[in-house]
Amino acid sequence: MSAFVLMFFATLFSLALHRTFVFKPFVLLMIVLSGFLIFLKTPVLMYGFAQSSATNLFLLVIFIALLAFTLSEDKEINITQSLFIGAASVLLLRGTTLLTFVFSFEAVSIISFAVVGHIRSSIQADGAVKMFISGALATALIVLGLALFTFGGGNFNLSLSNIHFNALMEVGLWVMLAGIFYKLTIVPMHSWAADSYANIKPSSAALLSGIAKSVVFVAVLKLFEPFFIQTLHVSIFILIVLSVLTMTLGNILAMFQKRVGKMLAYSSIAQAGYMLMVFIAVKDSYAQIGLLYLAIAYVFMQTALYLLLDNIGGGISDITLDDVKGLVKKDRLVSLFFAIQIFSLAGVPLLAGFMGKAIATYAVVDAGYWIVALIALLNSTFSIGYYGWFIKNIYFDHSVKQSRVISVSTSAKIAQIILLGGTLFFGIFAFAVFHTSFCSL
Amino acid sequence: MIYLLTIFLPMLLAGYIYLFTRRIGGAKYIALALFVALFIEAWLTYTNLLPSGYTMLGSYLDVKRFDFVLTLQVDRFSVIMLLLVSVLLIFVTLTSWSVKHQSAYFSLLIFFAGPIFGLFMSTNLLWFFIFWELTLIPIYFLIGIWGDKQRIFAAMKFFIYTHLASMLMLLAFFLLYKQSTTFDMTQIKEGALTTPALIWWLLFIAFAIKMPLFPFHTWLPIAHVEAPAPVSSLLAGVLLKMGAYGMIRLVVLMLPHQAQKYDYIILILGLATLFYAAFMALYTTHIKKMVAYSSISHMGLVAIAISALSFSGLSSALFEMIGHALIISILFVIAGIFHEKTGSWQMGDMGGIMQKAPYLATLFVIGGLAALGLPSTIGFIGELSVLISAIMAHGVWLAVIAAASLLSAGYFIWAFRRVIYGKQSKVVALTNFAIHPVVFGALAIFAILVIAFGIFPQFLFSGIDRAFDTYHLLGGLA
C-alpha cells in the first residue's frame, strides 16, 4: 500500500507546488517512485486488499500512462487530479471486498467530476453536466445495490468468492452492476459518454476514458468473477446482449461523426463492448488474461489519441476531421503517432490492440461462443470504416486553409513516444502479460 | 537469426527511411539493394533446402500458454514464393524509379518486404495471420496516396474487404487452436478436429476473397485501376498469390478430407471467375480494367488447378501463379505508362502506338500474347498444364476452359487492334512516349523471362514438381 500512500501525499503536496518550476519534476519523480514501489512488490498490510502480479503489471502501465499525461498536459490542476486517480487506482485494483470496491470506485468517480470541472466554453459545460448527472445516477444505483446486497447477506464487507448468493444479493449486485455499467459506457447506459468524452477538454477525456475506465473494467472482472460464474445461466444472456449491442452501436455511430473527439468517444464505447465480451468467457482460463491485455492496450492507445487531440487543438474540444486533413504535410511525426495508435485500436497486428483483441476473442471462442466472436470480428471490420477514414484524412487529403491545428511541443512528443513504446512493446512481447496472474501474492 | 532480421529489419528500416531520408534522397537505392539481398537470401535458402519436408530456420518469442511462437520453417513451395516475391519487389522498385515522394513510397515498399517474407516463412498460424494483416497497411497507403482519382474509395474498399477476409481467417485459426491446441500448421491433424467443415468454409471464403474468386472479387478491379501501375503489379503478383498460397497450403493440404468433399465448390467458383472476368475484360474499354479482369480470369485458372486436388494440379497451379505474376506485371506497368503519357484510360483514344513507341508496344504485345496463351510463352505452358490436370481430375467436359482462352485471345487481340496498331489517334500523335531506361530495362527483362520460361519450362518445373512431392494426400495425390 506504500504506493497508494506515496501517491496520495504527492497529490496533496503537489497542490502547494502549483506555479513553481519544481511542480512537474516533483510529480514525475513521485510517479516514478510509486511505480518503483509497485515493481518491488512492497507488502500490502491492510485488510480487504491484496496484490497480484497481474494488478501490479496493470498499475505499472497506469503509472507509465500518468507519466506521459504529466509530460503532455499543461494544466497543473489536471495533473494533480491525475495523481489522485493513480492513487485511487491502486486501491481499486487491490481491493478484494465489495466495500473497498465501492469506496475506491467512488473516489475515482468523484475526482473525475473535478477533472471535467474546468469549463471554458458552453460545449465543455454541456459535457461536464451530462457526466455529473449520469455519474450521480450511477452512484445512486451502486449504493442501492450495496444496500440490497448487504440486507441479503448480512455483512457489507464481503468478498464475493466462496459465498452463496441468495435472490436479494443477486438483485443487489445486478443493480450495482447497472450503476457500474454507466461508468463503463455499456449500451444502454452509454449516451452520456459520447457527449462528455467529446465535449470536455480532450486531455481530461484521456484520463477518464483511457485510464479510469480500463481500471474499473479490470477491477470489476477481478471482484465480480465468482458472481458471474455462479449465476452464469442468467448472466450469460445479459452479457452477450449488452456486449454485442455496445460494440455494434458504438461502431455504427462512430462512423457518422465529423468531430474527432466524438468519433473516439464512440470508438471507446465500442471497445467497452469488446471488453464486456470477455465476461462471457468468465469461466475460461483465457478470460482474465484477455481482459487484462485489452485493458493494457487500451490505456496506451486511448490515452495517446486523446492527448494528441489535446495537443494539436491546444485544448479545444471540437477539432473536426477537416482540421486534421493533410496533417502529414505539417508534421510527419505527429501523423505517425496518430496512425499507429489508430491502427492499434483497429486491431492491426504487432500493436498492443491486436494482441488484446485476439486473446479476448480467443477466450470467447474457447468458451464455446464462436458466433459472438464472429460478431466481434465483423465489428472490427466495421470499425475499419472510420479508423481508415481518419487515417485517410491525415494522409490522403490536402490540408484545408482554416485548419485549427497547432504545432506540438517537444515534451508532448516525448509523452507520445512513451505511449507508443507501450503499444509496440505489448504488441510484440506477449510474455510480459502471459507471465502474470490474478492470484494473490 | 538472419531470418528474424529479414522480417523485422525492413520494418525498422522503413521507419528510418520515412523520417530521415526525405531531404537527402537515395531511398530507391536502399530499396533496390535490400530487395536484391532478399533475393540472394531466398536463393541461398532454396539451394540449402532439405530434400523433403520442412527446413527449420529458427523459433523465437516463445509464449507457451497461447502457442504464440514465431516458428520459421520453409519447404520448397514457400521458398519458391519467396523467390517470386523478391523478384517482383525488384521489378516494382525499378518500374517506380521516378515516382513522387520517394522516401515515403520506398519506405512503404521496404516495410512490405518484412511481413511478406514472414508470411511465407512462418508455420505458426497466429504469426501467419499477423504478417498477413500487416501487408495490408503499406498497400493501403500506396493506393491511397499515389493512386488515381478514385484512390480513396479504392483504398478504403481494399482495406475493409480484405480485413473482412482476415477476420474470418482469424476465427478459423482460433477454432483450429481450440480443437488441436497448437497453432503450428505442420502439427495440425484434420482427423482430430471436431468442426472441420466450419473451419474449411471460413478459410475458403477468406482466401477466396483474397485470390479473388467470383463473387468475392469486387474489391480488386477498383484497387487495380486506381493503384499506381507498379503497385498494381504488386497486387496481382504478390497479394493475390498470398490468397492462392493460403488456398493450397491451408485449405487443401491442411484439410484434405474437407477439400475433397467440397472440391466442386472450388471448381465452380474457379470456372465462374474465369468466364465472368473474361467477359468483363471483353466488355470494358478501359485499358487497365481490361488487364485487371484478365488478371482475375487467370486466378480463376489457378483455382481450377487447385480444385483438381492432385499432384499435377497443384504443380500447374504454382506454375500458373508464377507465369501470371510475370505476365500481368508487364501489362499493368505498360498500361499505366500509356495512361500517364496520353492522359486517357480509354482504348478508343489510343491507337497506332506501335508507330510512336515501337519497343514499348512490342513489350505490351508480348505480354498480351503470353496472357492469351500463345505457344512459346510461359502463359501457354501454364494454361495447358492447368487444362490437362483439370481434365484428368474432373473429366473431359472441362475442355470448356479452352473457350476462356479463346475469349482472352478475343479481348487481347482486339485491344492490340485498338491500342497498338490501327490508325494513329490524335492523342497518340501528340504524345511523347519516352520512358526512363531503368523502367524499360525492367520490363524487357520480364518479357525475356516470359519467353525463356515458355521455351524451357523444365527449368521451372524441376523446382515446382518437387514442391509437392512430399505430400501423401488423398485422391491419388502421391
Side-chain angles (χ1 to χ4, degrees), chain A residues 17-47:
Chain A
L17 296 177
H18 277 198
R19 296 204 195 84
T20 63
F21 68 97
V22 288
F23 174 75
K24 270 201 184 181
F26 170 76
V27 172
L28 292 175
L29 182 71
M30 286 300 123
I31 294 175
V32 171
L33 276 182
S34 319
F36 199 60
L37 287 175
I38 298 278
F39 184 73
L40 290 178
K41 302 191 184 98
T42 49
V44 180
L45 304 166
M46 268 162 92
Y47 172 71

PDB file of all heavy atoms in Angstrom, chain A residues 17-47:
ATOM      1  N   LEU A  17       2.717  23.142  -4.749  1.00  0.00           N
ATOM      2  CA  LEU A  17       3.806  23.481  -5.672  1.00  0.00           C
ATOM      3  C   LEU A  17       3.314  24.107  -6.971  1.00  0.00           C
ATOM      4  O   LEU A  17       4.103  24.361  -7.876  1.00  0.00           O
ATOM      5  CB  LEU A  17       4.625  22.224  -5.998  1.00  0.00           C
ATOM      6  CG  LEU A  17       5.359  21.593  -4.828  1.00  0.00           C
ATOM      7  CD1 LEU A  17       6.067  20.326  -5.271  1.00  0.00           C
ATOM      8  CD2 LEU A  17       6.359  22.570  -4.233  1.00  0.00           C
ATOM      9  N   HIS A  18       1.990  24.295  -7.077  1.00  0.00           N
ATOM     10  CA  HIS A  18       1.477  24.892  -8.319  1.00  0.00           C
ATOM     11  C   HIS A  18       2.185  26.197  -8.646  1.00  0.00           C
ATOM     12  O   HIS A  18       2.515  26.961  -7.768  1.00  0.00           O
ATOM     13  CB  HIS A  18      -0.034  25.150  -8.174  1.00  0.00           C
ATOM     14  CG  HIS A  18      -0.841  23.926  -8.464  1.00  0.00           C
ATOM     15  ND1 HIS A  18      -2.181  23.962  -8.764  1.00  0.00           N
ATOM     16  CD2 HIS A  18      -0.491  22.632  -8.488  1.00  0.00           C
ATOM     17  CE1 HIS A  18      -2.606  22.741  -8.971  1.00  0.00           C
ATOM     18  NE2 HIS A  18      -1.605  21.911  -8.796  1.00  0.00           N
ATOM     19  N   ARG A  19       2.363  26.432  -9.918  1.00  0.00           N
ATOM     20  CA  ARG A  19       3.002  27.635 -10.454  1.00  0.00           C
ATOM     21  C   ARG A  19       4.460  27.767 -10.005  1.00  0.00           C
ATOM     22  O   ARG A  19       5.002  28.861  -9.970  1.00  0.00           O
ATOM     23  CB  ARG A  19       2.245  28.902 -10.041  1.00  0.00           C
ATOM     24  CG  ARG A  19       0.861  28.931 -10.633  1.00  0.00           C
ATOM     25  CD  ARG A  19       0.333  30.329 -10.750  1.00  0.00           C
ATOM     26  NE  ARG A  19      -1.101  30.273 -10.987  1.00  0.00           N
ATOM     27  CZ  ARG A  19      -2.010  30.153 -10.020  1.00  0.00           C
ATOM     28  NH1 ARG A  19      -1.634  30.137  -8.747  1.00  0.00           N
ATOM     29  NH2 ARG A  19      -3.275  30.083 -10.310  1.00  0.00           N
ATOM     30  N   THR A  20       5.070  26.693  -9.588  1.00  0.00           N
ATOM     31  CA  THR A  20       6.517  26.761  -9.357  1.00  0.00           C
ATOM     32  C   THR A  20       7.188  25.829 -10.368  1.00  0.00           C
ATOM     33  O   THR A  20       6.548  24.931 -10.907  1.00  0.00           O
ATOM     34  CB  THR A  20       6.892  26.283  -7.932  1.00  0.00           C
ATOM     35  OG1 THR A  20       6.516  24.912  -7.824  1.00  0.00           O
ATOM     36  CG2 THR A  20       6.213  27.110  -6.876  1.00  0.00           C
ATOM     37  N   PHE A  21       8.462  26.066 -10.589  1.00  0.00           N
ATOM     38  CA  PHE A  21       9.128  25.272 -11.634  1.00  0.00           C
ATOM     39  C   PHE A  21       9.384  23.842 -11.187  1.00  0.00           C
ATOM     40  O   PHE A  21       9.681  22.987 -11.996  1.00  0.00           O
ATOM     41  CB  PHE A  21      10.444  25.947 -12.042  1.00  0.00           C
ATOM     42  CG  PHE A  21      11.488  25.929 -10.962  1.00  0.00           C
ATOM     43  CD1 PHE A  21      12.469  24.931 -10.962  1.00  0.00           C
ATOM     44  CD2 PHE A  21      11.487  26.887  -9.952  1.00  0.00           C
ATOM     45  CE1 PHE A  21      13.424  24.899  -9.976  1.00  0.00           C
ATOM     46  CE2 PHE A  21      12.441  26.842  -8.961  1.00  0.00           C
ATOM     47  CZ  PHE A  21      13.421  25.862  -8.961  1.00  0.00           C
ATOM     48  N   VAL A  22       9.282  23.566  -9.882  1.00  0.00           N
ATOM     49  CA  VAL A  22       9.550  22.209  -9.433  1.00  0.00           C
ATOM     50  C   VAL A  22       8.329  21.306  -9.561  1.00  0.00           C
ATOM     51  O   VAL A  22       8.412  20.104  -9.326  1.00  0.00           O
ATOM     52  CB  VAL A  22      10.029  22.157  -7.958  1.00  0.00           C
ATOM     53  CG1 VAL A  22      11.427  22.691  -7.850  1.00  0.00           C
ATOM     54  CG2 VAL A  22       9.072  22.875  -7.061  1.00  0.00           C
ATOM     55  N   PHE A  23       7.182  21.888  -9.950  1.00  0.00           N
ATOM     56  CA  PHE A  23       5.952  21.097  -9.936  1.00  0.00           C
ATOM     57  C   PHE A  23       6.070  19.825 -10.784  1.00  0.00           C
ATOM     58  O   PHE A  23       5.906  18.706 -10.298  1.00  0.00           O
ATOM     59  CB  PHE A  23       4.771  21.954 -10.400  1.00  0.00           C
ATOM     60  CG  PHE A  23       3.499  21.188 -10.546  1.00  0.00           C
ATOM     61  CD1 PHE A  23       2.779  20.796  -9.421  1.00  0.00           C
ATOM     62  CD2 PHE A  23       3.007  20.835 -11.798  1.00  0.00           C
ATOM     63  CE1 PHE A  23       1.616  20.066  -9.549  1.00  0.00           C
ATOM     64  CE2 PHE A  23       1.841  20.099 -11.928  1.00  0.00           C
ATOM     65  CZ  PHE A  23       1.142  19.724 -10.797  1.00  0.00           C
ATOM     66  N   LYS A  24       6.363  20.031 -12.083  1.00  0.00           N
ATOM     67  CA  LYS A  24       6.395  18.850 -12.964  1.00  0.00           C
ATOM     68  C   LYS A  24       7.478  17.850 -12.571  1.00  0.00           C
ATOM     69  O   LYS A  24       7.207  16.652 -12.497  1.00  0.00           O
ATOM     70  CB  LYS A  24       6.540  19.276 -14.425  1.00  0.00           C
ATOM     71  CG  LYS A  24       5.196  19.483 -15.091  1.00  0.00           C
ATOM     72  CD  LYS A  24       5.283  19.399 -16.600  1.00  0.00           C
ATOM     73  CE  LYS A  24       3.920  19.710 -17.189  1.00  0.00           C
ATOM     74  NZ  LYS A  24       3.884  19.631 -18.650  1.00  0.00           N
ATOM     75  N   PRO A  25       8.716  18.338 -12.287  1.00  0.00           N
ATOM     76  CA  PRO A  25       9.733  17.360 -11.858  1.00  0.00           C
ATOM     77  C   PRO A  25       9.288  16.582 -10.625  1.00  0.00           C
ATOM     78  O   PRO A  25       9.489  15.361 -10.543  1.00  0.00           O
ATOM     79  CB  PRO A  25      10.951  18.230 -11.551  1.00  0.00           C
ATOM     80  CG  PRO A  25      10.757  19.445 -12.377  1.00  0.00           C
ATOM     81  CD  PRO A  25       9.287  19.659 -12.481  1.00  0.00           C
ATOM     82  N   PHE A  26       8.641  17.283  -9.680  1.00  0.00           N
ATOM     83  CA  PHE A  26       8.197  16.609  -8.457  1.00  0.00           C
ATOM     84  C   PHE A  26       7.185  15.509  -8.793  1.00  0.00           C
ATOM     85  O   PHE A  26       7.301  14.368  -8.342  1.00  0.00           O
ATOM     86  CB  PHE A  26       7.574  17.635  -7.503  1.00  0.00           C
ATOM     87  CG  PHE A  26       6.884  17.018  -6.323  1.00  0.00           C
ATOM     88  CD1 PHE A  26       7.615  16.504  -5.265  1.00  0.00           C
ATOM     89  CD2 PHE A  26       5.494  16.923  -6.282  1.00  0.00           C
ATOM     90  CE1 PHE A  26       6.973  15.917  -4.190  1.00  0.00           C
ATOM     91  CE2 PHE A  26       4.856  16.337  -5.208  1.00  0.00           C
ATOM     92  CZ  PHE A  26       5.602  15.826  -4.157  1.00  0.00           C
ATOM     93  N   VAL A  27       6.188  15.875  -9.620  1.00  0.00           N
ATOM     94  CA  VAL A  27       5.152  14.907  -9.960  1.00  0.00           C
ATOM     95  C   VAL A  27       5.758  13.712 -10.686  1.00  0.00           C
ATOM     96  O   VAL A  27       5.465  12.552 -10.369  1.00  0.00           O
ATOM     97  CB  VAL A  27       4.060  15.582 -10.827  1.00  0.00           C
ATOM     98  CG1 VAL A  27       3.092  14.539 -11.347  1.00  0.00           C
ATOM     99  CG2 VAL A  27       3.333  16.624 -10.018  1.00  0.00           C
ATOM    100  N   LEU A  28       6.639  14.011 -11.648  1.00  0.00           N
ATOM    101  CA  LEU A  28       7.265  12.914 -12.404  1.00  0.00           C
ATOM    102  C   LEU A  28       8.032  11.984 -11.463  1.00  0.00           C
ATOM    103  O   LEU A  28       7.936  10.762 -11.544  1.00  0.00           O
ATOM    104  CB  LEU A  28       8.206  13.479 -13.465  1.00  0.00           C
ATOM    105  CG  LEU A  28       7.531  14.227 -14.610  1.00  0.00           C
ATOM    106  CD1 LEU A  28       8.574  14.840 -15.533  1.00  0.00           C
ATOM    107  CD2 LEU A  28       6.625  13.304 -15.398  1.00  0.00           C
ATOM    108  N   LEU A  29       8.764  12.603 -10.522  1.00  0.00           N
ATOM    109  CA  LEU A  29       9.540  11.817  -9.574  1.00  0.00           C
ATOM    110  C   LEU A  29       8.630  10.931  -8.734  1.00  0.00           C
ATOM    111  O   LEU A  29       8.904   9.738  -8.524  1.00  0.00           O
ATOM    112  CB  LEU A  29      10.345  12.757  -8.671  1.00  0.00           C
ATOM    113  CG  LEU A  29      11.248  12.057  -7.656  1.00  0.00           C
ATOM    114  CD1 LEU A  29      12.412  11.399  -8.387  1.00  0.00           C
ATOM    115  CD2 LEU A  29      11.754  13.032  -6.608  1.00  0.00           C
ATOM    116  N   MET A  30       7.515  11.510  -8.283  1.00  0.00           N
ATOM    117  CA  MET A  30       6.602  10.745  -7.434  1.00  0.00           C
ATOM    118  C   MET A  30       6.008   9.557  -8.194  1.00  0.00           C
ATOM    119  O   MET A  30       5.866   8.455  -7.661  1.00  0.00           O
ATOM    120  CB  MET A  30       5.463  11.653  -6.932  1.00  0.00           C
ATOM    121  CG  MET A  30       5.881  12.616  -5.856  1.00  0.00           C
ATOM    122  SD  MET A  30       6.503  11.746  -4.406  1.00  0.00           S
ATOM    123  CE  MET A  30       8.111  12.434  -4.256  1.00  0.00           C
ATOM    124  N   ILE A  31       5.664   9.817  -9.455  1.00  0.00           N
ATOM    125  CA  ILE A  31       5.081   8.716 -10.243  1.00  0.00           C
ATOM    126  C   ILE A  31       6.111   7.608 -10.430  1.00  0.00           C
ATOM    127  O   ILE A  31       5.817   6.423 -10.261  1.00  0.00           O
ATOM    128  CB  ILE A  31       4.578   9.237 -11.610  1.00  0.00           C
ATOM    129  CG1 ILE A  31       3.406  10.196 -11.408  1.00  0.00           C
ATOM    130  CG2 ILE A  31       4.115   8.080 -12.478  1.00  0.00           C
ATOM    131  CD1 ILE A  31       2.927  10.861 -12.678  1.00  0.00           C
ATOM    132  N   VAL A  32       7.329   8.033 -10.739  1.00  0.00           N
ATOM    133  CA  VAL A  32       8.373   7.017 -10.937  1.00  0.00           C
ATOM    134  C   VAL A  32       8.612   6.246  -9.651  1.00  0.00           C
ATOM    135  O   VAL A  32       8.707   5.009  -9.654  1.00  0.00           O
ATOM    136  CB  VAL A  32       9.679   7.686 -11.428  1.00  0.00           C
ATOM    137  CG1 VAL A  32      10.821   6.692 -11.419  1.00  0.00           C
ATOM    138  CG2 VAL A  32       9.483   8.255 -12.820  1.00  0.00           C
ATOM    139  N   LEU A  33       8.656   6.973  -8.520  1.00  0.00           N
ATOM    140  CA  LEU A  33       8.887   6.306  -7.231  1.00  0.00           C
ATOM    141  C   LEU A  33       7.768   5.324  -6.912  1.00  0.00           C
ATOM    142  O   LEU A  33       8.006   4.188  -6.485  1.00  0.00           O
ATOM    143  CB  LEU A  33       8.998   7.341  -6.114  1.00  0.00           C
ATOM    144  CG  LEU A  33      10.375   7.986  -5.924  1.00  0.00           C
ATOM    145  CD1 LEU A  33      10.330   8.951  -4.745  1.00  0.00           C
ATOM    146  CD2 LEU A  33      11.438   6.908  -5.679  1.00  0.00           C
ATOM    147  N   SER A  34       6.513   5.749  -7.159  1.00  0.00           N
ATOM    148  CA  SER A  34       5.393   4.847  -6.865  1.00  0.00           C
ATOM    149  C   SER A  34       5.469   3.621  -7.751  1.00  0.00           C
ATOM    150  O   SER A  34       5.213   2.498  -7.298  1.00  0.00           O
ATOM    151  CB  SER A  34       4.057   5.535  -7.095  1.00  0.00           C
ATOM    152  OG  SER A  34       4.094   6.844  -6.629  1.00  0.00           O
ATOM    153  N   GLY A  35       5.809   3.869  -9.018  1.00  0.00           N
ATOM    154  CA  GLY A  35       5.947   2.731  -9.928  1.00  0.00           C
ATOM    155  C   GLY A  35       7.004   1.779  -9.425  1.00  0.00           C
ATOM    156  O   GLY A  35       6.843   0.561  -9.473  1.00  0.00           O
ATOM    157  N   PHE A  36       8.086   2.354  -8.891  1.00  0.00           N
ATOM    158  CA  PHE A  36       9.169   1.546  -8.372  1.00  0.00           C
ATOM    159  C   PHE A  36       8.698   0.716  -7.174  1.00  0.00           C
ATOM    160  O   PHE A  36       9.040  -0.468  -7.036  1.00  0.00           O
ATOM    161  CB  PHE A  36      10.324   2.466  -7.988  1.00  0.00           C
ATOM    162  CG  PHE A  36      11.626   1.757  -7.874  1.00  0.00           C
ATOM    163  CD1 PHE A  36      12.161   1.084  -8.977  1.00  0.00           C
ATOM    164  CD2 PHE A  36      12.320   1.745  -6.685  1.00  0.00           C
ATOM    165  CE1 PHE A  36      13.364   0.412  -8.860  1.00  0.00           C
ATOM    166  CE2 PHE A  36      13.529   1.085  -6.572  1.00  0.00           C
ATOM    167  CZ  PHE A  36      14.053   0.410  -7.663  1.00  0.00           C
ATOM    168  N   LEU A  37       7.875   1.348  -6.326  1.00  0.00           N
ATOM    169  CA  LEU A  37       7.357   0.611  -5.160  1.00  0.00           C
ATOM    170  C   LEU A  37       6.488  -0.555  -5.603  1.00  0.00           C
ATOM    171  O   LEU A  37       6.534  -1.644  -5.017  1.00  0.00           O
ATOM    172  CB  LEU A  37       6.546   1.555  -4.266  1.00  0.00           C
ATOM    173  CG  LEU A  37       7.378   2.567  -3.475  1.00  0.00           C
ATOM    174  CD1 LEU A  37       6.470   3.534  -2.730  1.00  0.00           C
ATOM    175  CD2 LEU A  37       8.274   1.834  -2.477  1.00  0.00           C
ATOM    176  N   ILE A  38       5.687  -0.321  -6.649  1.00  0.00           N
ATOM    177  CA  ILE A  38       4.853  -1.405  -7.182  1.00  0.00           C
ATOM    178  C   ILE A  38       5.763  -2.514  -7.709  1.00  0.00           C
ATOM    179  O   ILE A  38       5.536  -3.694  -7.471  1.00  0.00           O
ATOM    180  CB  ILE A  38       3.974  -0.885  -8.344  1.00  0.00           C
ATOM    181  CG1 ILE A  38       3.027   0.199  -7.866  1.00  0.00           C
ATOM    182  CG2 ILE A  38       3.233  -2.035  -9.008  1.00  0.00           C
ATOM    183  CD1 ILE A  38       1.792  -0.269  -7.222  1.00  0.00           C
ATOM    184  N   PHE A  39       6.795  -2.075  -8.409  1.00  0.00           N
ATOM    185  CA  PHE A  39       7.715  -3.027  -9.023  1.00  0.00           C
ATOM    186  C   PHE A  39       8.370  -3.907  -7.959  1.00  0.00           C
ATOM    187  O   PHE A  39       8.594  -5.095  -8.162  1.00  0.00           O
ATOM    188  CB  PHE A  39       8.766  -2.251  -9.816  1.00  0.00           C
ATOM    189  CG  PHE A  39       9.708  -3.126 -10.577  1.00  0.00           C
ATOM    190  CD1 PHE A  39       9.283  -3.800 -11.714  1.00  0.00           C
ATOM    191  CD2 PHE A  39      11.024  -3.276 -10.168  1.00  0.00           C
ATOM    192  CE1 PHE A  39      10.145  -4.616 -12.411  1.00  0.00           C
ATOM    193  CE2 PHE A  39      11.892  -4.104 -10.873  1.00  0.00           C
ATOM    194  CZ  PHE A  39      11.449  -4.764 -11.995  1.00  0.00           C
ATOM    195  N   LEU A  40       8.681  -3.278  -6.792  1.00  0.00           N
ATOM    196  CA  LEU A  40       9.341  -4.024  -5.723  1.00  0.00           C
ATOM    197  C   LEU A  40       8.376  -4.929  -4.976  1.00  0.00           C
ATOM    198  O   LEU A  40       8.778  -5.670  -4.078  1.00  0.00           O
ATOM    199  CB  LEU A  40       9.971  -3.048  -4.730  1.00  0.00           C
ATOM    200  CG  LEU A  40      11.185  -2.276  -5.236  1.00  0.00           C
ATOM    201  CD1 LEU A  40      11.665  -1.327  -4.147  1.00  0.00           C
ATOM    202  CD2 LEU A  40      12.295  -3.227  -5.633  1.00  0.00           C
ATOM    203  N   LYS A  41       7.102  -4.855  -5.288  1.00  0.00           N
ATOM    204  CA  LYS A  41       6.058  -5.670  -4.640  1.00  0.00           C
ATOM    205  C   LYS A  41       6.074  -5.458  -3.131  1.00  0.00           C
ATOM    206  O   LYS A  41       6.048  -6.427  -2.360  1.00  0.00           O
ATOM    207  CB  LYS A  41       6.249  -7.156  -4.942  1.00  0.00           C
ATOM    208  CG  LYS A  41       6.239  -7.487  -6.425  1.00  0.00           C
ATOM    209  CD  LYS A  41       6.169  -8.978  -6.607  1.00  0.00           C
ATOM    210  CE  LYS A  41       6.255  -9.378  -8.052  1.00  0.00           C
ATOM    211  NZ  LYS A  41       7.581  -9.793  -8.499  1.00  0.00           N
ATOM    212  N   THR A  42       6.136  -4.196  -2.686  1.00  0.00           N
ATOM    213  CA  THR A  42       6.093  -3.926  -1.245  1.00  0.00           C
ATOM    214  C   THR A  42       4.791  -4.471  -0.684  1.00  0.00           C
ATOM    215  O   THR A  42       3.750  -4.378  -1.308  1.00  0.00           O
ATOM    216  CB  THR A  42       6.185  -2.422  -0.968  1.00  0.00           C
ATOM    217  OG1 THR A  42       5.239  -1.775  -1.810  1.00  0.00           O
ATOM    218  CG2 THR A  42       7.562  -1.897  -1.222  1.00  0.00           C
ATOM    219  N   PRO A  43       4.849  -5.081   0.506  1.00  0.00           N
ATOM    220  CA  PRO A  43       3.685  -5.817   1.015  1.00  0.00           C
ATOM    221  C   PRO A  43       2.462  -4.935   1.278  1.00  0.00           C
ATOM    222  O   PRO A  43       2.584  -3.751   1.558  1.00  0.00           O
ATOM    223  CB  PRO A  43       4.208  -6.445   2.310  1.00  0.00           C
ATOM    224  CG  PRO A  43       5.417  -5.673   2.654  1.00  0.00           C
ATOM    225  CD  PRO A  43       6.001  -5.168   1.386  1.00  0.00           C
ATOM    226  N   VAL A  44       1.291  -5.550   1.151  1.00  0.00           N
ATOM    227  CA  VAL A  44       0.033  -4.856   1.423  1.00  0.00           C
ATOM    228  C   VAL A  44      -0.381  -5.211   2.841  1.00  0.00           C
ATOM    229  O   VAL A  44      -0.649  -6.363   3.145  1.00  0.00           O
ATOM    230  CB  VAL A  44      -1.046  -5.349   0.447  1.00  0.00           C
ATOM    231  CG1 VAL A  44      -2.352  -4.639   0.704  1.00  0.00           C
ATOM    232  CG2 VAL A  44      -0.588  -5.147  -0.970  1.00  0.00           C
ATOM    233  N   LEU A  45      -0.424  -4.239   3.706  1.00  0.00           N
ATOM    234  CA  LEU A  45      -0.693  -4.547   5.111  1.00  0.00           C
ATOM    235  C   LEU A  45      -2.055  -4.029   5.535  1.00  0.00           C
ATOM    236  O   LEU A  45      -2.198  -3.374   6.546  1.00  0.00           O
ATOM    237  CB  LEU A  45       0.394  -3.945   6.006  1.00  0.00           C
ATOM    238  CG  LEU A  45       1.819  -4.366   5.662  1.00  0.00           C
ATOM    239  CD1 LEU A  45       2.829  -3.485   6.363  1.00  0.00           C
ATOM    240  CD2 LEU A  45       2.043  -5.824   6.031  1.00  0.00           C
ATOM    241  N   MET A  46      -3.073  -4.268   4.726  1.00  0.00           N
ATOM    242  CA  MET A  46      -4.391  -3.773   5.106  1.00  0.00           C
ATOM    243  C   MET A  46      -5.430  -4.831   4.836  1.00  0.00           C
ATOM    244  O   MET A  46      -5.349  -5.561   3.844  1.00  0.00           O
ATOM    245  CB  MET A  46      -4.747  -2.530   4.298  1.00  0.00           C
ATOM    246  CG  MET A  46      -4.354  -1.234   4.974  1.00  0.00           C
ATOM    247  SD  MET A  46      -4.339   0.074   3.769  1.00  0.00           S
ATOM    248  CE  MET A  46      -5.979   0.677   3.909  1.00  0.00           C
ATOM    249  N   TYR A  47      -6.414  -4.918   5.687  1.00  0.00           N
ATOM    250  CA  TYR A  47      -7.480  -5.890   5.470  1.00  0.00           C
ATOM    251  C   TYR A  47      -8.307  -5.474   4.252  1.00  0.00           C
ATOM    252  O   TYR A  47      -8.589  -4.294   4.049  1.00  0.00           O
ATOM    253  CB  TYR A  47      -8.385  -5.960   6.715  1.00  0.00           C
ATOM    254  CG  TYR A  47      -9.606  -6.806   6.445  1.00  0.00           C
ATOM    255  CD1 TYR A  47      -9.479  -8.193   6.303  1.00  0.00           C
ATOM    256  CD2 TYR A  47     -10.868  -6.236   6.276  1.00  0.00           C
ATOM    257  CE1 TYR A  47     -10.574  -8.974   6.019  1.00  0.00           C
ATOM    258  CE2 TYR A  47     -11.967  -7.016   5.991  1.00  0.00           C
ATOM    259  CZ  TYR A  47     -11.811  -8.385   5.861  1.00  0.00           C
ATOM    260  OH  TYR A  47     -12.904  -9.149   5.564  1.00  0.00           O
TER     261      TYR A  47
END
